[in-house]
Amino acid sequence: MIKLKIKSGDIVRVIAGDHKGAEGKVIRVYREKNKAIVEGVNMVSKHTKPSAKSPQGGIVKKEASIQISNISLIDPKTKETTRVGIRVEGDKKVRFSKKSNQVL
């Protein structure tokens, strides 16, 4: 399986596609599909049948997954998009920002 440099909880910006420029928090990452769900990005309308959970049913807006290659991590220090590197500090692997060289 591929090692991804984006984790759930990261703040990212969409760098390509219909939602280019949108920012949000990563809710979930699907490593096997190489996709992620970003809060408030790529909203789709899902038609739901009435159930015990939602007795009304109807159309529900929810986030759809987006390709990992179309999102970029936002550096908390510079507030710009950055690439992510991995280095070993002591006996732990840590992610760091290539722009500010700060541990994420």
Side-chain angles (χ1 to χ4, degrees):
M1 223 180 273
I2 302 166
K3 175 74 174 150
L4 300 177
K5 296 180 180 178
I6 291 178
K7 295 181 178 181
S8 57
D10 287 345
I11 306 296
V12 295
R13 183 177 295 146
V14 180
I15 57 171
D18 293 341
H19 304 280
K20 185 176 180 176
E23 294 181 14
K25 187 178 184 180
V26 176
I27 300 170
R28 179 138 188 230
V29 175
Y30 298 101
R31 287 176 57 195
E32 62 282 348
K33 293 182 185 174
N34 223 25
K35 292 186 173 209
I37 294 179
V38 181
E39 196 173 34
V41 176
N42 199 18
M43 299 296 282
V44 293
S45 299
K46 184 166 172 57
H47 296 260
T48 56
K49 288 173 79 172
S51 66
K53 194 174 180 182
S54 61
Q56 186 63 38
I59 301 170
V60 178
K61 287 272 196 187
K62 63 182 284 185
E63 293 98 352
S65 60
I66 188 168
Q67 197 72 23
I68 288 278
S69 62
N70 293 341
I71 58 178
S72 181
L73 191 72
I74 294 180
D75 188 354
K77 189 175 181 182
T78 61
K79 305 291 185 219
E80 293 178 4
T81 57
T82 182
R83 297 200 325 257
V84 179
I86 297 172
R87 65 178 172 221
V88 178
E89 287 185 358
D91 58 347
K92 283 196 168 186
K93 274 187 183 178
V94 293
R95 297 183 309 154
F96 69 97
S97 164
K98 295 255 184 157
K99 271 195 181 161
S100 66
N101 210 23
Q102 182 182 5
V103 174
L104 299 170

